Amino acid sequence: MQKIAMLGGGFIGRFYAESLHGQRSRDRVIAIYARREETAQKFATDYGCSIWSTNMEEIIAHPDVTMVCVALPNNLHATAVELCAKHKKNVVCTKPLGRTAEEALRMMKLVEEAGIFGGYLEDLCYSPKFLKALESVKSGALGRILWAKSREAHPGPHSNWFWDKEQAGGGCMLDLGCHCVEIARSFIGKDVRPVEVMCWAATQVKPIDAEDHAIALVKYENGAIGQFEVSWVFRGGMDLRDEVMGTEGTIWINNFLRTGFEIYTSGKGADYVAEKAESNTGWLFPVGDEVNDLGYNHMFTDMFTSCEEGREPAETFYDGYVVNAVLDAAYRSAESKQWEPVDLPVWRGQEGLSQEKTLVDYDADYYLIKEELTHDGRHKLILKDKVSGKIIEKDKL
């Protein structure tokens, strides 16, 4: 059983607590730190915490706490992790790990040098659909992965600090792009180095200093491409979609906006529908089990089991650092309008990969371009002559 200190009593801290206390879980949030006394007291009452304080170090250092969960604004992550390292407390931290790769790398080193457990709470890499898709990719069902795209778009975050560039470290790209980058990394291979990024980002609608809409391409050393689309100005709820394309297949995932669960209501008796839903009348698209469908249950199970078994979780502080490095390059590219290199002074994956061979032998004389059955019953081949380079078509006998 983990006895958890929750740092942050806002939206994400409450989502985490719902997951941790749900389904008769043996793990309990016993302590809460919040910056405002009324927030700490309300959280303590709602979730049965016996310990609350507006002093972060007091909560982290409490002798009954075995695990610290950081659910704070981005500018406070490093301070919280530093205190966990000081007091030798295992820690899991919400996304993004840092505001920059430099900040994330410092946090990673603090955890590793202190010899404590560090887990990166990237929930969308634990959603049931993602886990099933990743299993298919790893089994080879899609062949060699060529392209992975992830999209997250909604009307914007709930708390004021997200909209402050200094506290948040960026806009929608840091807030949502961190999910998308890690999803694509997972499908392409987390040991494959991301090498450069091309990004467009703009502030199209919101009166803020940071970007509210962005699109980027991430090149990987083996020739694969990752892509993300993120927005705080999308209307209609929360759109979470992933696509993966390989030489042998394709996966499409719709995690939230279209779930196979649809309701029409006049609004009588209607209340909360789903995260980022913009209305509670008309046609609505609820989520059957929001906490589970967003991956929180699987995520905390992996985190705490990994900690207790002395192994790394699927998402580590190192992963959070790599994600921050990719996003740093994206921000530079949005400014320069050029491909920008991903700066990774610490890299623990494969080295020196090159794009894999794309030519498929048909026989000794030809490469295979395409094989298909046509509407008129032909079994047609499109081939390329290995010597002349001429492209021909013929019927397969």
Side-chain angles (χ1 to χ4, degrees):
M1 172 182 175
Q2 295 291 338
K3 296 178 180 180
I4 301 145
M6 187 67 68
L7 307 185
F11 178 82
I12 194 61
R14 285 178 166 269
F15 249 126
Y16 287 166
E18 294 290 339
S19 173
L20 291 164
H21 288 186
Q23 305 289 333
R24 294 177 59 87
S25 172
R26 67 181 184 272
D27 305 302
R28 304 300 297 177
V29 180
I30 66 163
I32 173 67
Y33 157 78
R35 291 167 292 165
R36 293 188 295 271
E37 186 172 308
E38 59 270 26
T39 302
Q41 288 182 325
K42 180 70 164 60
F43 189 103
T45 299
D46 290 347
Y47 296 104
C49 302
S50 57
I51 308 158
W52 66 268
S53 178
T54 56
N55 183 307
M56 189 192 302
E57 186 165 10
E58 179 183 318
I59 290 296
I60 291 172
H62 196 284
D64 291 344
V65 169
T66 64
M67 177 72 69
V68 176
C69 181
V70 180
L72 294 166
N74 298 347
N75 62 316
L76 299 176
H77 291 187
T79 299
V81 169
E82 187 173 5
L83 289 171
C84 290
K86 175 182 174 181
H87 293 282
K88 303 292 185 182
K89 291 297 178 77
N90 296 323
V91 58
V92 290
C93 182
T94 193
K95 62 79 196 174
L97 185 59
R99 290 172 294 176
T100 65
E102 182 181 15
E103 190 171 70
L105 182 58
R106 182 164 65 86
M107 293 163 67
M108 183 187 85
K109 288 179 176 179
L110 282 168
V111 164
E112 292 180 351
E113 290 167 4
I116 58 175
F117 177 87
Y120 178 49
L121 298 181
E122 176 42 82
D123 59 288
L124 294 186
C125 286
Y126 288 97
S127 72
K129 290 177 183 176
F130 172 84
L131 292 174
K132 184 67 174 178
L134 186 61
E135 182 182 321
S136 296
V137 167
K138 288 185 174 180
S139 74
L142 270 63
R144 177 165 54 90
I145 302 303
L146 306 172
W147 173 67
K149 183 180 86 169
S150 184
R151 169 180 170 83
E152 180 168 0
H154 57 59
H158 303 281
S159 300
N160 61 336
W161 66 264
F162 282 95
W163 304 93
D164 183 325
K165 188 175 181 179
E166 176 59 31
Q167 291 185 75
C172 65
M173 193 149 59
L174 190 61
D175 179 38
L176 310 180
C178 59
H179 289 304
C180 300
V181 169
E182 188 64 352
I183 287 167
R185 278 190 72 224
S186 298
F187 286 132
I188 291 169
K190 291 204 289 187
D191 61 342
V192 180
R193 189 178 189 125
V195 292
E196 56 181 345
V197 181
M198 170 63 80
C199 178
W200 166 87
T203 309
Q204 292 188 309
V205 177
K206 305 296 185 182
I208 58 174
D209 294 330
E211 74 288 346
D212 61 18
H213 194 177
I215 301 169
L217 296 174
V218 183
K219 286 184 185 177
Y220 286 79
E221 195 172 38
N222 66 349
I225 285 284
Q227 180 178 342
F228 68 75
E229 302 171 0
V230 293
S231 180
W232 279 350
V233 296
F234 174 79
R235 303 306 301 270
M238 182 156 72
D239 186 11
L240 296 177
R241 283 181 283 162
D242 305 323
E243 298 179 38
V244 194
M245 182 179 75
T247 55
E248 302 299 327
T250 303
I251 290 174
W252 295 343
I253 303 172
N254 194 328
N255 281 304
F256 218 79
L257 197 61
R258 290 293 185 271
T259 62
F261 183 3
E262 301 182 12
I263 294 175
Y264 177 85
T265 175
S266 66
K268 184 177 181 180
D271 195 2
Y272 180 82
V273 177
E275 183 184 345
K276 307 298 191 307
E278 291 200 271
S279 173
N280 59 5
T281 62
W283 279 107
L284 307 174
F285 310 97
V287 179
D289 183 347
E290 192 165 352
V291 166
N292 185 67
D293 289 347
L294 286 172
Y296 296 123
N297 292 341
H298 296 285
M299 177 177 71
F300 283 115
T301 296
D302 178 47
M303 291 295 161
F304 297 164
T305 302
S306 298
C307 180
E308 290 159 8
E309 294 180 356
R311 57 178 172 82
E312 286 192 339
E315 293 293 323
T316 66
F317 272 33
Y318 172 75
D319 293 311
Y321 148 70
V322 175
V323 168
N324 271 124
V326 172
L327 292 173
D328 282 358
Y331 278 109
R332 292 196 302 272
S333 175
E335 290 292 326
S336 71
K337 316 301 183 189
Q338 304 289 329
W339 285 96
E340 291 287 346
V342 178
D343 185 17
L344 283 168
V346 177
W347 172 247
R348 295 172 178 172
Q350 298 184 70
E351 297 280 3
L353 293 179
S354 57
Q355 186 167 337
E356 295 184 39
K357 178 185 176 184
T358 59
L359 302 176
V360 178
D361 288 323
Y362 176 70
D363 58 22
D365 299 317
Y366 291 99
Y367 296 117
L368 175 67
I369 294 177
K370 188 179 181 184
E371 181 175 357
E372 65 178 324
L373 292 173
T374 65
H375 69 284
D376 57 355
R378 294 174 61 200
H379 192 161
K380 187 168 69 174
L381 296 168
I382 301 178
L383 306 172
K384 180 177 180 178
D385 189 290
K386 291 182 178 181
V387 177
S388 69
K390 184 179 179 181
I391 296 174
I392 67 165
E393 64 176 72
K394 69 175 186 177
D395 290 342
K396 186 174 182 180
L397 301 177

